[in-house]
Amino acid sequence: MTLAVALVLLIGLGGGSLFLPMPYLVAAPGTIVNTTGNLEGEPVIEVAGTDSYEHDEGSLSMVTVQYAGGPEHRLNFFTVLTSWLSSRDAVMPEELLFPADRTPEEVSERQSVQMNDSQTEATAAALNQLGRDFEAVPVVAEAIEGMPAEGEVEPEDIVLEVDGEAVPVQPRQDGDADFGSEAVVEMVGDREPGEPVTLLLERDGEEIEAEFETEEDDEGSAAVGVFIADDMDFPFDVDITVGQIGGPSAGMMFSLGIMDRLSEDNITGGADIAGSGTIDGKGEVGGVSGIPQKMVSAQNAGADYFFVASESCSQVARSAAQGELDVVAVDTLDDAVDALETIRDGDGGLPRCE
């Protein structure tokens, strides 16, 4: 009788444990959005103020990961176990997406900000690649508490000069030189910590000169403790609409989509291309997570090629779609443009993940 009761209790506890909430997330293949097409009847990328073009053949698609779980919607053990056994899904601790010091609302807001920033950077990268003029005006976002600039600068101050040298606000067409906020950081950091630096600021239409003793930042460079953002001034309007999707990982595909809108010729050559990677205004492509699931989404959508940042190559072999897609590794937007030219011409090799 004792053994029978113990066995019943054990089975009951074991069965009940299958439905206990678990602090894990499940990443599954998500939606795919053609940046050169429409979403819910509206263009994903719309250009106003200059000539723009639409091409019927081919696609340049951003790919997403769909997450289930989280602090407010925890999954049970059975669901987590089933997903762990799946070759298409991935299981991860929820703190990777929902850190303990942030609420789900703060995480969602951050992803929205990252999406907006990625669209701005993607526009800058596309115009830079096409040789179109624009300006990235460096403005003060905030001063760091306890650093020399605290109380001396104000949000929205424009940084005009560093030690009498004008801050470049337009990219050089060779793509090597920093401009905008990156130029300010480089110009201030080009000295030993402790040496002085003078910034010429514009505040409410007036010029203000501020002198600081620099301090050493976390990377050992000279700094005054100011977060600088870029106020992008584009010669025409680029509007990107992707609904509730957040995060920065669509940057590369946004840039290619914008280039296609601004190009009379179809840059895909009729091929269906998907991909994922961040981008900055200089066209540097960065790695992202979720590549195995994004590749499955791309395969399901019938993509011919999948563009991935070289930094993300280590994830490719873990995808159930590995071997089913032609995966192209890129480090810059220029690499992606070269790969598209190779695809259009049908001549030459494409860069692959090592």
Side-chain angles (χ1 to χ4, degrees), residues 5 41 43 64 83 99 101 167 189 193 206 254 276 288 295:
V5 170
T64 68
S83 299
D101 59 345
V167 177
E206 296 184 3
F254 284 150
S276 187
V288 296
M295 288 175 59

Side-chain angles (χ1 to χ4, degrees), residues 149-170:
E150 184 184 12
E152 301 295 329
V153 300
E154 297 180 4
E156 303 304 322
D157 284 353
I158 300 173
V159 185
L160 301 175
E161 297 179 358
V162 177
D163 283 341
E165 181 180 355
V167 177
V169 295
Q170 288 187 328

Side-chain angles (χ1 to χ4, degrees), residues 32 60 115-116 118 123 140 183 190 209 220-221 247 261 268 321 340:
I32 183 168
L60 291 162
M115 170 58 76
N116 292 335
S118 75
T123 303
V140 173
D190 191 22
E209 196 172 84
S221 299
R261 284 288 190 201
T268 69
L340 287 173

Side-chain angles (χ1 to χ4, degrees), residues 26-43:
V26 171
T31 58
I32 183 168
V33 178
N34 178 16
T35 64
T36 63
N38 295 333
L39 181 65
E40 298 179 354
E42 298 294 331

Side-chain angles (χ1 to χ4, degrees), residues 183-199:
V184 173
V185 173
E186 180 69 22
M187 294 166 77
V188 172
D190 191 22
R191 70 197 71 241
E192 293 297 322
E195 293 181 354
V197 63
T198 300
L199 303 182

Side-chain angles (χ1 to χ4, degrees), residues 288-312:
V288 296
S289 60
I291 293 299
Q293 290 70 47
K294 292 174 180 178
M295 288 175 59
V296 172
S297 295
Q299 179 194 11
N300 291 342
D304 302 314
Y305 301 88
F306 189 84
F307 283 21
V308 63
S310 296
E311 291 179 14
S312 299

